[in-house]
Amino acid sequence: MARTLINIPKQTRRGEVIEIKTLIAHPMETGFRPLANGSLAPRDIINRLVCTYNGEEVFRADLFPAITANPYVAFTTVATESGEIALSWTDDRGQTQTETVAIKVE
Amino acid sequence: MTPRQPGRMTARAALAGLAAALPAVACLAQQDGRQDGRLSGSAFMSAETREMQADDAANPGMLSVLDGEALWSRKEGAAGRACADCHSDAATSMRGVAARFPAFDAARNAPVNLDQRINICRAEKQGAAPFAWESPEILALSAYVGLQSRGLPITAGEDPRLAPFIERGRGFYSLRQGQLDLACASCHDDNWGRLLGSSPIPQAHPTGYPIYRLEWQGMGSLQRRLRNCLAGVRAEPFAYGAPEYVELELFLMTRAHGMVMETPAVRP
């Protein structure tokens, strides 16, 4: 499991615009880097980040080569109700890592 | 170019490439309120990079800090003990420690840097194999220990037994070397604030190590940074852990005495 860092206001008011900040440890190998033997290091990037809020998708991003290692993605959504925010990163090998954070809305 | 002095001309050519002083830096020096003119590498960075460093939710060095926190309480080696078993809460036991390193090690009769000190504990207290230089584990532990000094002033070099080692580091700092025949001081004392290619030359204060360097796309130690600068003047870098590096680290920390620790810093 890759190390992630997710920052969401723990407590907020209904209707408030909240910022969700995410970091994940990943080499984001572009597929264009030549190795010592002349072959290219195979591409291995996170190609998708999806955020759901109580099961409903609120944000999705496609990522491409040339995005930095350990990518940081921040976005906003509107706080509607208490519950769970889930973030899922999917890489080129088809593996998905999901992390969830609780949010309290008053 | 005379054959006996191939380095000189190249060095001059290299320095001729230095652009004019950056007005922004002078301005920052005033904002910083420092009377002594010393500036952290942060002062030479873009606003975006400074923001990235300042926000723990955006600073990628914090991923390494979190790894270090996990390692801190992991039982390791023949002794089956974790760092936390002996040092308990790092926020208390490691407060100000990184700001005091490299420190004199009586058993070795020489200074050791923080990575070496951590590996001494691994070998002697945990009975585990030392972590390799620049391995994610040693960088994570030193970042985690380093974070406990964030915001505190650098105090390294106060131990009188360190005096001869500091002097050797100072000598190395002022020694012209490499095919470009430049000393550390040629850039970091005589030409700081000017551009080398597109990079502003900082004053070389090691306030934020280990750092997350954007160019590396990852974490690295002060020794890795020093290797970059040595390779930059086309000198042969020493092996990791060489006494020359530790003395140089010690001198740089002494030169930055009183400046504020920033670990984990972000650098371009």
Side-chain angles (χ1 to χ4, degrees):
Chain A
M1 275 284 170
R3 175 75 59 189
T4 59
L5 193 54
I6 303 165
N7 200 279
I8 297 177
K10 293 267 166 306
Q11 211 167 343
T12 183
R13 273 179 288 125
R14 196 178 308 278
E16 198 101 322
V17 174
I18 54 164
E19 186 173 35
I20 300 175
K21 300 178 182 179
T22 71
L23 257 176
I24 185 166
H26 198 280
M28 297 294 277
E29 188 63 63
T30 60
F32 300 119
R33 186 171 60 93
L35 297 170
N37 68 5
S39 68
L40 295 178
R43 188 182 119 158
D44 175 21
I45 65 166
I46 288 168
N47 55 50
R48 172 153 298 182
L49 168 62
V50 175
C51 175
T52 60
Y53 187 168
N54 285 341
E56 188 192 337
E57 185 173 303
V58 291
F59 177 83
R60 172 206 295 249
D62 288 336
L63 280 71
F64 296 92
I67 290 180
T68 172
N70 310 312
Y72 169 74
V73 179
F75 52 92
T76 54
T77 190
V78 177
T80 50
E81 56 193 321
S82 293
E84 200 174 71
I85 290 185
L87 289 144
S88 299
W89 293 263
T90 304
D91 68 15
D92 281 343
R93 286 178 268 184
Q95 282 172 338
T96 297
Q97 174 169 344
T98 301
E99 302 288 338
T100 56
V101 183
I103 180 168
K104 203 169 162 204
V105 179
E106 278 162 2
Chain B
M1 194 188 286
T2 63
R4 278 174 54 237
Q5 275 198 320
R8 286 261 170 219
M9 286 297 290
T10 337
R12 244 181 247 137
L15 281 175
L18 297 172
L22 298 170
V25 171
C27 171
L28 269 163
Q30 284 153 16
Q31 280 173 18
D32 195 41
R34 269 180 202 288
Q35 301 302 305
D36 65 8
R38 288 183 304 171
L39 290 171
S40 147
S42 306
F44 301 84
M45 307 195 304
S46 69
E48 291 79 7
T49 313
R50 261 183 278 136
E51 269 170 38
M52 184 190 277
Q53 175 176 317
D55 181 356
D56 280 351
N59 181 341
M62 291 309 287
L63 293 168
S64 180
V65 166
L66 289 174
D67 284 345
E69 187 178 18
L71 283 169
W72 182 259
S73 14
R74 200 168 81 191
K75 296 198 186 298
E76 292 271 285
R81 306 191 76 169
C83 318
D85 291 338
C86 296
H87 296 291
S88 57
D89 184 5
T92 321
S93 65
M94 292 292 136
R95 190 180 148 83
V97 169
R100 191 164 37 74
F101 269 76
F104 191 78
D105 184 291
R108 284 154 194 82
N109 204 28
V112 294
N113 72 13
L114 185 59
D115 294 9
Q116 289 171 318
R117 176 62 246 187
I118 292 171
N119 265 334
I120 291 170
C121 272
R122 248 185 94 72
E124 295 176 5
K125 316 275 184 198
Q126 294 183 304
F131 290 123
W133 290 99
E134 300 303 296
S135 60
E137 292 86 358
I138 194 72
L139 291 169
L141 275 171
S142 65
Y144 180 60
V145 172
L147 178 74
Q148 316 307 328
S149 291
R150 188 164 70 174
L152 298 178
I154 291 176
T155 57
E158 288 175 0
D159 184 335
R161 293 172 294 180
L162 291 168
F165 301 95
I166 297 171
E167 281 319 303
R168 279 213 285 279
R170 187 195 307 278
F172 190 86
Y173 184 82
S174 321
L175 183 73
R176 285 179 174 274
Q177 50 189 316
Q179 284 182 326
L180 297 190
D181 198 28
L182 290 171
C184 315
S186 315
C187 283
H188 294 297
D189 288 351
D190 303 343
N191 282 294
W192 65 266
R194 304 176 84 188
L195 291 176
L196 182 64
S198 60
S199 306
I201 302 177
Q203 295 179 351
H205 294 301
T207 47
Y209 286 82
I211 57 167
Y212 187 91
R213 190 165 180 222
L214 301 176
E215 187 182 313
W216 295 332
Q217 297 273 287
M219 297 292 286
S221 71
L222 179 54
Q223 291 204 6
R224 183 169 177 196
R225 175 65 255 184
L226 299 181
R227 286 171 78 86
N228 279 193
C229 278
L230 279 173
V233 298
R234 316 234 174 91
E236 181 84 35
F238 298 100
Y240 278 106
E244 287 85 352
Y245 277 143
V246 180
E247 287 160 10
L248 191 52
E249 280 186 62
L250 176 61
F251 167 69
L252 291 175
M253 285 292 273
T254 310
R255 183 170 162 269
H257 192 272
M259 292 180 77
V260 170
M261 291 281 289
E262 300 169 68
T263 308
V266 177
R267 292 288 180 268

